[in-house]
Amino acid sequence: MSGWDGIDEFIAVATASSFTRAAKAIGMSPTHVSRSIIALEQRVQAQLFHRTTRTVRLTDTGRVFFERCARIAQERDEAIALIGEQGEPQGELRVTCPTAMGERFIAPIIRRFAMPYPKLNVTIDLSNRVVDLVGEGYDLGIRTGAVGDARLIAARVASRTLYTCAAPSYLERAGTPGAVADLAHHECIAGTSTTWRFSNGSDHQLHRPKGRFRSNSGQAVIEACIAGLGICQLPDFYILPYLKRGMVVNVLEDVRSADEPIWAVYPQRRHLLPKIQRVVECLQHELAAAMRE
């Protein structure tokens, strides 16, 4: 028996707070993970987790043990990556990204990135939910706005501008809003965001859109806007093609909020892996240009 037996399983369960999610993250069966934890507890002669039918949480002893083990595991993984991979991206690269941005920009960029590296296997999961990268075993995520998870490193790869627009036909019928407060008297087409943001530099305002049409698809929202159903707020890559052709009109431009950062985020334990370093560099080089096209 190795002194390391059960440590990876322990770290995975402590991180995910679940035997099932931990097993998925490390590619093992839940039964194997459970048995490994039991054997580890017997070896260290201490209970590491409080278990109920619904929750798994660290004991005080388990918390101290986890902090030490996580640090050692990080150093081990970095040493193996630096020597074993010899600078060439390889192994599994699991990426999660918002659906629309992933389809239009991230997936094509990462596909081109992966082509010269035959030892690299890529999985791209497109989802608009905020994925727990550490708990679910992802290597990289694409996020917008603020990143508040201390377990993650964030590298800015691009930015996006939010536009508030309406079709000329709607504005002829309903009038043009002159201030954010006027939106309360207009039909607003809501997307995935529950609030719209506005700023004139020092003063920041929020508006909660209300109207007869709502969709979690940005494309459906812009099409409803073009049809004259109301006012929408969407990122530049949805709006600009139609704005340039006059199919929608920019409103409240004087209070448009500052550009929103786009981040590549990844668990701290992976920050020296060549596959992470290279793909982040690729995104920083290509994403902003692709979104302007």
Side-chain angles (χ1 to χ4, degrees), residues 167-284:
S169 60
Y170 173 82
L171 297 177
E172 289 174 8
R173 183 175 75 251
T176 300
V180 175
D182 294 342
L183 292 175
H185 308 293
H186 281 268
E187 285 286 331
C188 294
I189 306 170
T192 55
S193 178
T194 57
T195 58
W196 293 355
R197 298 189 303 279
F198 300 90
S199 173
N200 62 4
S202 58
D203 182 30
H204 302 281
Q205 300 180 64
L206 298 177
H207 173 73
R208 295 186 178 276
K210 294 181 180 179
R212 297 184 300 114
F213 192 89
R214 174 184 297 272
S215 176
N216 64 353
S217 163
Q219 189 60 39
V221 169
I222 187 60
E223 289 175 0
C225 180
I226 292 168
L229 286 182
I231 299 172
C232 73
Q233 187 178 85
L234 285 172
D236 40 17
F237 60 85
Y238 283 112
I239 295 290
L240 290 181
Y242 304 102
L243 190 62
K244 292 174 181 177
R245 301 199 306 242
M247 299 173 71
V248 295
V249 176
N250 202 4
V251 299
L252 300 174
E253 189 171 7
D254 57 334
V255 289
R256 188 167 66 200
S257 62
D259 287 356
E260 188 175 62
I262 300 173
W263 308 94
V265 297
Y266 47 95
Q268 293 189 19
R269 288 178 58 188
R270 290 170 167 81
H271 78 281
L272 289 182
L273 294 174
K275 64 184 177 183
I276 300 300
Q277 291 182 332
R278 298 282 185 85
V279 74
V280 169
E281 290 171 358
C282 179
L283 289 166
Q284 288 174 326

Side-chain angles (χ1 to χ4, degrees), residues 5 31 36 58 60 69 87 105 107 115 118 132 144 149 154-155 161 167 184 192 205 212 227 230 239 247 262 272:
D5 285 351
T31 301
S36 297
L58 288 164
D60 291 340
C69 288
F105 305 111
M115 289 182 68
D132 180 356
T144 57
D149 193 332
T161 302
T192 55
Q205 300 180 64
R212 297 184 300 114
I239 295 290
M247 299 173 71
I262 300 173
L272 289 182

Side-chain angles (χ1 to χ4, degrees), residues 106 109-110 113 140 142 153-159 262-266 276-292:
I106 303 300
I109 290 172
I110 292 181
F113 162 77
L140 187 75
I142 305 300
I153 296 174
R156 188 164 182 165
V157 293
S159 61
I262 300 173
W263 308 94
V265 297
Y266 47 95
I276 300 300
Q277 291 182 332
R278 298 282 185 85
V279 74
V280 169
E281 290 171 358
C282 179
L283 289 166
Q284 288 174 326
H285 179 69
E286 295 192 27
L287 181 57
M291 292 178 67
R292 288 194 297 266

